[in-house]
Structure formats: C-alpha cells, structure tokens
Amino acid sequence: MFIKEMEFVNFKSFGKRVKIPFYEGFTAISGPNGSGKSNIIDGILFTLGLSGSKTMRAEKLTDLIFNDAKSKQPEFAQVTITFDNTDRKAPVEADEFEISRKIKQTKSGYYSYYYFNGKAASLTEVHELLSKAGITPEGYNVVMQGDISQITAKMSPTERRKIIDEIAGVSEFDEKKQKSLAELDIVKEQIEKIDIIIEEVK
Ligand code: ATP
C-alpha cells in the first residue's frame, strides 16, 4: 500500500487546487526553502489524524487554511489522500481508496470532517482502517525532522528496541502472546479445580 496522490485545496501554501502524484517505493520532493515541502507532510498528518503525537506546524487548525493576506481567506481547506491498495494491505476490496479531511471556518468557530471514499466518517473509523495497514498515530510511518537524532542519540537501548519491534511488527505479536499466556493461566487454574473435584468424587 502506498500514497498514490494527494490533493490540496486551500491548504497552507497550496492556494486553490493542487494535485501531487506519488510513486511506489520512493518519491523525493525537492524545492527551495519555504516552497511548501514540509506542508505536504503536514497535509498527511492532518488528513490521517496523526497529529496527536506529531506536531503540525500550525498554532491552531484554522492556520492551515490558505491565507496570502492579499485576498479574503477561503472558508475551508481540504486534503485528500488516495492510497494504492492493490496489495490489499488495507481491508478495502478495491485497488484504491481515498481518505479526506476538511476544515471549515464559520462565524461560530471551526468544524472538521473526515471522509472515506467521499462519505462522512469518524476519526475512529479512519484510525481503525489505517491501523489494519500498520499506520498508527504513535507509529513511525511519518518520520519528522528531529526523530532520527532522538532515536539514534537520545533514547536508551531499551526504548530503541521498542521502536524497532514496533516498526517490524513484533510488538503486535508480543501483545498477542501475553494475552494468550494470560488465557492459558486461567485455563490451567480451571483444570486444577476440576482435577480436585474429580479426586473428591473418587
Ligand atoms: P524548508 O526547506 O525551509 O523547510 P519547505 O519547502 O519545507 O521549506 P514549508 O515549511 O513547507 O516549506 O512552507 C513554508 C511556507 O508555507 C511559508 O512560506 C509560509 O508562509 C507558507 N504557509 C504556511 N501556512 C500558510 C497558510 N495558511 N497560507 C499561506 N501560506 C502558508
């Protein structure tokens, strides 16, 4: 599974509608300072609701709406991510699907909406779908500036091991193993109880 395309409408420095294609494997984005490269990453964090643990560079959500100080600020910003799902990593029976988020500014405040394939969805639904494909807010699907030095220089070997386990998908199995061991303990206890009853009956 990979991001196939992103569409920005009035998001940060992307005034109007801008489509950016991505490719399987590796896509590098280059451009002068301040040209909007990091705004693309902010678009990913915003759309997939991953900004809980990573910081988008905006003080408030409405700062994400395009504002060039020359014209009236648009009322909304929207980012749509199209995923290629030909490998069926996400539990969607289609070769591609879309997740979109819109933020709308009104006189009484702002509203945020998520969409899955154009239909309204909750953030929980979006997270549930993405987690099946290994994308989680705590995960390292998006590596921010500073994350690498944090991992290589500042973390203890145990903390680093935890991250590697998470990325490799080992921690998921560790959790399942712990759960199974706990269930096994309960079964063992029940067998012991039944054995005692059998002994008493004899
Ligand atoms: P660098 O190489 O310096 O990290 P970059 O290519 O990553 O730069 P960004 O940080 O993505 O660039 O973009 C910063 C630009 O986005 C700035 O020029 C800033 O004015 C502009 N910008 C941020 N928010 C908005 C907004 N709401 N409306 C219009 N422009 C915005």
Side-chain angles (χ1 to χ4, degrees), residues 10-15 31-40 42 57 62-68 73 145:
N10 305 329
F11 184 82
K12 295 199 88 179
S13 52
F14 302 105
N33 287 354
S35 60
K37 303 181 295 290
S38 309
N39 290 344
I40 297 172
D42 285 343
R57 295 153 321 128
T62 44
D63 289 345
L64 297 172
I65 302 175
F66 176 73
N67 190 356
D68 69 353
Q73 193 183 22
Q145 276 171 15

Side-chain angles (χ1 to χ4, degrees), residues 31-154:
N33 287 354
S35 60
K37 303 181 295 290
S38 309
N39 290 344
I40 297 172
I41 299 293
D42 285 343
I44 296 176
L45 298 178
F46 168 74
T47 313
L48 306 184
L50 302 178
S51 49
S53 53
K54 323 242 169 208
T55 35
M56 271 188 303
R57 295 153 321 128
E59 273 182 29
K60 23 185 219 320
L61 270 184
T62 44
D63 289 345
L64 297 172
I65 302 175
F66 176 73
N67 190 356
D68 69 353
K70 284 184 226 142
S71 42
K72 192 173 168 275
Q73 193 183 22
E75 279 173 356
F76 77 95
Q78 182 158 8
V79 182
T80 304
I81 300 182
T82 306
F83 285 97
D84 181 295
N85 188 40
T86 38
D87 60 8
R88 297 292 188 273
K89 279 267 162 65
V92 178
E93 274 314 309
D95 285 347
E96 59 174 57
F97 65 91
E98 271 180 21
I99 293 177
S100 184
R101 185 177 178 190
K102 185 178 194 171
I103 175 173
K104 203 170 166 197
Q105 192 163 222
T106 66
K107 283 193 188 105
S108 54
Y110 73 84
Y111 297 92
S112 157
Y113 310 93
Y114 288 90
Y115 302 91
F116 168 71
N117 280 344
K119 288 198 190 114
S122 67
L123 175 60
T124 311
E125 284 167 334
V126 169
H127 278 176
E128 260 173 31
L129 171 76
L130 293 173
S131 71
K132 301 227 168 79
I135 302 168
T136 59
E138 316 74 41
Y140 278 85
N141 312 99
V142 179
V143 180
M144 306 296 285
Q145 276 171 15
D147 277 354
I148 298 296
S149 57
Q150 173 76 15
I151 294 168
T152 52
K154 295 186 188 145

Side-chain angles (χ1 to χ4, degrees), residues 2 4 56 107-108 131 138 156 161 163 170 181 184:
F2 62 93
K4 201 174 176 184
M56 271 188 303
K107 283 193 188 105
S108 54
S131 71
E138 316 74 41
S156 70
R161 169 65 198 259
I163 287 175
V170 177
L181 286 174
L184 212 59

Side-chain angles (χ1 to χ4, degrees), residues 153-164:
K154 295 186 188 145
M155 279 185 181
S156 70
T158 319
E159 286 172 318
R160 215 172 291 142
R161 169 65 198 259
K162 249 175 113 180
I163 287 175
I164 292 168

